[in-house]
Amino acid sequence: MTALPPSAVYRVALVMIVRDEAPRISRAIQSLLPWVDECVVLDTGSRDNTVALAQAAGARVGHFTWCDDFSAARNAALELAGADWHVVLDADEWLASGGPSLAALRQQAPAFVGQVRVDSHFGEGDERAPSWLPRVLPGWVRYEGRIHEQPRRGPPTQRLPVVFEHLGYAPAALAQKAGRNAALLGEALKDSPDDPYLWYQLGKDHDVYERWAQAIDCFEQACKALPPQGPLPAWRHDLEVRCLHALKRAGRHAEGVLRAEAGLGLWSHSPDFFFALGDLLLDWATQDLSRADELLPMIEDAWQRCLMLGERPDLEGSVAGRGSHLAARNLMLLYQVLERPEDAAALSSLAQPPAPTRLEQALPGAVYQPAASPPAAAASAP
């Protein structure tokens, strides 16, 4: 356990549950250890050298018999840590920015649940989607839910200027856990068949593994299960964009257009919504050339809307670039096909992706090295 700075009032612990995470565990721990007072790792049955690597990185390690219940494991890890604040991290994640904000928790009473931005990498390129997830918990808060567990309702939430990077949706990671989440979600839905969040997560799992018809059905079940009044949950945006994508991939273009028309009032501020709509319309025009003259202006309008709206990383599941270079690239290619070279040339610079950061240039399996380890006293400053 790291000695607390003299000015600290509350103890902050990094808390993880892991199994067979040898390629990733060191990076995860080392990214956060400079900003917390202790790292607690609960191993759920590793057969590789995860435990030894976690201990070498500075973690206190406990053991737990896996029982197909993520909340049970999370809560056991929280009990083992017993800190005033718990920062929850998965082994396929690491801290990208915001360490000082976590260190400043030492002077803040644990009276809220802190949401951090988790940027998930997916696909073969450098595409990523941010989610705001509750990962900073007061010491007494516990989880509920067999899978895609959430903190039990209690204290208010507050967004923190903290960013985690996440590789769990990269192709190799998805292949390793294929089928696991769907099975657990199916069991959870037997207990809570009217839970919209579980239906959304099951639809998301079907979407990720290209089971398009099942994804659409689950997304529709999630929408039906939501209460008719009150604010929409943040994940509803991600559901809408994924549903348009699934309808495209299933070849149900007309349904997708009707759904988009019905959702315009809700999602007129979302570049991801219009990006997915333009993609669906382009696929329809490609499959049915007789509709091309009708659809091409609609495609152009959808992607122009993306550029007008700009990036919206605050929206759940938004993909970086859909309000900038990805939409510009699609428009540029469209103008080239339509033989509009001047319009295409005007977008050439905007269509270039931004230069990668130092973290993005690192190999996915490399051990993360923080830019600087703060002195204990400096880390505790609010």
Side-chain angles (χ1 to χ4, degrees), residues 326-341:
L326 294 178
R329 182 186 66 185
N330 283 3
L331 268 176
M332 183 179 70
L333 294 174
L334 179 66
Y335 290 147
Q336 290 172 350
V337 170
L338 296 176
E339 298 183 349
R340 292 164 57 179

Side-chain angles (χ1 to χ4, degrees), residues 301-342:
D301 179 70
W303 289 335
Q304 285 180 339
R305 291 273 196 104
C306 296
L307 296 179
M308 290 171 56
L309 291 167
E311 295 291 289
R312 288 295 304 268
D314 56 306
L315 296 176
E316 182 79 14
S318 65
V319 173
R322 285 181 175 170
S324 58
H325 67 274
L326 294 178
R329 182 186 66 185
N330 283 3
L331 268 176
M332 183 179 70
L333 294 174
L334 179 66
Y335 290 147
Q336 290 172 350
V337 170
L338 296 176
E339 298 183 349
R340 292 164 57 179
E342 292 183 359

